[in-house]
Amino acid sequence: VDFSTIFDDFRPVYYIRFLLQLNMSKTALVSSASHFNQLLSTSKIVVVDFYADWCGPCRAIAPIYEQLSAQLSRPHKITFAKVDTERQKDVAQTYGVTTLPTFMVFKDTQAISTVHGADSRKLSEVVKKLVAEADSNGSGGFGEASSFSPGWLGASLPKGYEDVTDQVDVRGVDLLNSDSNFGNARTLFNGNKPSALACAEGNANPDGGKTQRDWIESDTDEQLMLFIPFQSTLRIHTLQMTSLPPKETNPEADEVPMRPKTLHLYINRAHILGFEEAEDLPATQVITLQPQDWDNDTGTAKVELRFVKFQKVTSLVLFVANGDGDGEKVRVDRLKIIGEKGEKRELGKLEKIGDEPGE
C-alpha cells in the first residue's frame, strides 16, 4: 500500500467514509477510562491513537492507522485503539499526551514506545518492529526481552542494574490523599518525559501552551501514601523520584507544592496502609532527602536503598511523611524502580516473605 497517496488525495469526504467504516473495523474506540484499562489488561500489546476531531494531521493519518489495525490486530495479543482527547480528557492527562496526534504502544499495561505527530513512516516502523517481535517468538507470542526503549529516565542507572518499572502491576496501584485535579497513581509510572520538562524545552501543546497536569499532588495536607504491587519478585536497588514544582510563583496563584522530604518504605504488604497505621509500624527504611539530592536539570533524586533489605520484594508501600518546606502540598511527577527482576508471581496474590516486621 502506498500510504503517501492517502495524504496527497485526502478530502473531507474520504474522512467521513472512514468514520463510517470504523463500525466494521477492528479498532477499539475508547469510551471511558475503565474501558481503556480493560483493553490494557486483556491484550498483551495495545497500540493507541490519541486524536481530536479538530486536528487536521489526526484526520490525515487516520486511514493509515486503520489499515495497520485491519492488517495486524490479533485477538488478546495486539489491539489497536483510538482515544478522543476531547471526550476522554482524563485518559489523555494520565498518559501525559501533550501533542496531537500521539501514538503510544503498551506492553503488559506499560507504555514502551511513543510517536508524536502524523509521522506515517515512523508509526509504521514502530508497529512493524512490534509484529516482528511477536513473530520471532513463535505462535504470536512475546519474549521477555523488548526491543523498545524503556522510556524516559531522569537519572543514570547504577552499574549492573536496570529499570524494572515495567514490572509494576498498574492495575493494583493505590494512592491516598491525592488531589483529583491532577493525575492518578498510574501517572507516576508514565514512560514519557514529564510535561513540565517537555514544555520547558519548547514542545507545543494542543491546549494553547498550558502544561498538562501529568503529575500528582497531595490534597488535604503534605502526606501521600502509595501502594505498588509487582508482577514478579524484585531486588530493588534504587528509586528515581522526579518532582518539578514551578520555580517562579505568581502572587495570585495557588500555593506552590513542595518536593518530598521524608520517605518511609514498607515491603511485601498485602494492601495500602492507612496513615495512622503506617506511623505505628516500623518501616523497612526511612529516607530523608536533602535539597542537593535533586538534579537541577531533571528534578530527579536518586533514592538509594539498603539493598540487603530489598531482596525479595513483591510489593512496596511508599509513605511521603512530609515535604521540604512549610507548605501543605507535595508534588511528584514520576517514579522509577531500579534493580533486578526475579521470578514471575501469580498476579493478585502477595506472598509473605520473612518473619520480621517489614520483611
Side-chain angles (χ1 to χ4, degrees):
V1 178
D2 184 2
F3 289 146
S4 63
T5 60
I6 296 177
F7 288 93
D8 295 338
D9 299 334
F10 182 80
R11 297 292 186 273
V13 65
Y14 297 144
Y15 184 61
I16 294 174
R17 291 175 182 171
F18 161 72
L19 291 176
L20 294 175
Q21 291 170 354
L22 279 179
N23 289 328
M24 299 180 291
S25 80
K26 297 179 180 179
T27 306
L29 299 178
V30 174
S31 59
S32 65
S34 60
H35 181 208
F36 187 77
N37 293 337
Q38 181 183 15
L39 291 175
L40 293 182
S41 63
T42 57
S43 182
K44 183 74 173 179
I45 296 286
V46 180
V47 185
V48 185
D49 173 12
F50 289 91
Y51 74 101
D53 289 338
W54 50 261
C55 170
C58 299
R59 295 196 299 270
I61 200 170
I64 298 176
Y65 184 77
E66 182 61 21
Q67 287 205 23
L68 291 172
S69 173
Q71 295 171 2
L72 304 175
S73 292
R74 301 178 184 178
H76 306 298
K77 291 188 174 72
I78 303 178
T79 298
F80 285 75
K82 292 178 70 70
V83 174
D84 184 339
T85 57
E86 292 294 303
R87 295 177 180 271
Q88 308 300 331
K89 292 182 179 180
D90 55 340
V91 177
Q93 176 179 306
T94 297
Y95 293 97
V97 176
T98 57
T99 58
L100 294 179
T102 287
F103 300 92
M104 296 184 69
V105 179
F106 294 80
K107 178 179 178 182
D108 293 327
T109 74
Q110 293 292 310
I112 59 174
S113 187
T114 303
V115 176
H116 297 291
D119 189 335
S120 60
R121 179 173 299 178
K122 187 173 182 180
L123 174 62
S124 180
E125 288 176 354
V126 168
V127 175
K128 287 179 179 178
K129 187 181 293 186
L130 166 71
V131 174
E133 180 185 351
D135 292 341
S136 67
N137 286 280
S139 303
F142 296 84
E144 291 301 314
S146 172
S147 58
F148 292 100
S149 167
W152 178 84
L153 284 172
S156 59
L157 293 175
K159 186 176 181 180
Y161 299 97
E162 61 179 329
D163 179 5
V164 295
T165 311
D166 63 349
Q167 294 303 300
V168 172
D169 181 6
V170 294
R171 291 166 291 181
V173 295
D174 199 2
L175 179 64
L176 299 182
N177 193 40
S178 64
D179 189 334
S180 60
N181 292 314
F182 301 90
N184 57 28
R186 293 189 180 196
T187 306
L188 296 173
F189 308 107
N190 188 337
N192 289 339
K193 177 182 292 186
S195 64
L197 288 177
C199 290
E201 295 171 0
N203 292 344
N205 272 320
D207 60 352
K210 297 179 181 179
T211 301
Q212 296 289 323
R213 293 184 166 186
D214 62 331
W215 64 85
I216 65 168
E217 287 191 15
S218 60
D219 190 9
T220 59
D221 58 26
E222 59 189 321
Q223 295 186 330
L224 288 166
M225 188 74 70
L226 176 66
F227 174 69
I228 312 169
F230 299 114
Q231 301 176 47
S232 60
T233 302
L234 301 181
R235 301 175 67 200
I236 304 179
H237 180 276
T238 307
L239 302 180
Q240 290 187 6
M241 178 177 287
T242 302
S243 179
L244 296 161
K247 294 182 180 180
E248 297 182 1
T249 64
N250 181 342
E252 299 181 358
D254 294 336
E255 176 188 354
V256 175
M258 304 175 291
R259 282 173 165 162
K261 182 177 182 179
T262 306
L263 310 178
H264 295 231
L265 302 176
Y266 309 82
I267 65 170
N268 301 337
R269 310 302 301 186
H271 52 73
I272 198 165
L273 299 176
F275 290 99
E276 293 184 1
E277 182 183 7
E279 291 176 353
D280 293 336
L281 287 175
T284 307
Q285 185 173 350
V286 177
I287 298 162
T288 301
L289 297 172
Q290 303 298 332
Q292 61 269 24
D293 293 329
W294 301 92
D295 184 89
N296 291 330
D297 295 325
T298 67
T300 299
K302 294 181 181 179
V303 184
E304 296 186 358
L305 308 183
R306 295 173 185 165
F307 194 38
V308 67
K309 290 192 173 185
F310 295 83
Q311 292 294 298
K312 297 181 179 179
V313 183
T314 56
S315 72
L316 182 68
V317 173
L318 171 61
F319 173 32
V320 179
N322 54 42
D324 188 12
D326 299 324
E328 297 183 354
K329 299 276 188 177
V330 161
R331 167 170 168 165
V332 183
D333 292 63
R334 295 290 186 273
L335 184 66
K336 295 288 186 177
I337 316 295
I338 311 301
E340 298 176 348
K341 299 177 185 178
E343 295 182 357
K344 285 281 186 179
R345 68 175 183 84
E346 182 181 349
L347 295 184
K349 179 181 179 181
L350 293 175
E351 301 86 359
K352 184 178 185 299
I353 299 175
D355 297 324
E356 297 298 324
E359 292 188 333

